Amino acid sequence: MRLLIVEDEPAIALVIQDVAIDAGFEITGIAGNMSEALELGSGADIALINVRLGDGLTGPSIARALFSGFGLGVVYFTVNPGLVENPEAKPASPEGIVDALSMAAQNARARTHRVASAPTFH
């Protein structure tokens, strides 16, 4: 499964990258802002997005753009639990990151399977 990491702190992005690679994910890129994320989004299946990047609370906007533009599954990453309503969407440990990414990958495969196996009408 191909993963795009959206994180503006290089050290954190590299830790996430290492954790994801160890879990079997292929990293398609690391983006630090929306324009980079949109540039790299077409090559990914899912994205792990920091909710609050250096330019403010832009993670949800990036997530909407990646989902609507490329159909990417999204996992939010934040150290501030009050920023996202769904607690499962905020992995805070390497194990949490792997679990959340695995769930997003499973959902992405299910979406692809449903689309690929849709009936054809003539």
Side-chain angles (χ1 to χ4, degrees):
M1 188 67 44
R2 300 168 302 167
L3 172 67
L4 170 62
I5 299 168
V6 183
E7 169 58 65
D8 61 343
E9 294 288 334
I12 294 172
L14 292 176
V15 168
I16 293 169
Q17 176 178 280
D18 289 345
V19 167
I21 288 171
D22 287 347
F25 289 87
E26 174 188 341
I27 308 303
T28 61
I30 296 174
N33 56 47
M34 181 166 317
S35 63
E36 291 174 0
L38 293 175
E39 190 176 306
L40 298 168
S42 66
D45 300 304
I46 57 177
L48 186 128
I49 302 173
N50 186 345
V51 174
R52 185 181 303 269
L53 299 171
D55 57 354
L57 189 61
T58 57
S61 298
I62 294 170
R64 283 189 294 275
L66 290 173
F67 179 78
S68 67
F70 307 108
L72 267 62
V74 171
V75 173
Y76 285 112
F77 179 79
T78 183
V79 295
N80 186 339
L83 295 177
V84 180
E85 291 180 23
N86 181 358
E88 288 79 33
K90 302 176 291 204
S93 67
E95 296 81 12
I97 291 170
V98 171
D99 289 346
L101 290 177
S102 296
M103 185 181 304
Q106 195 171 24
N107 291 339
R109 280 193 284 281
R111 279 193 313 275
T112 302
H113 178 70
R114 281 195 299 269
V115 171
S117 64
T120 304
F121 298 99
H122 299 281

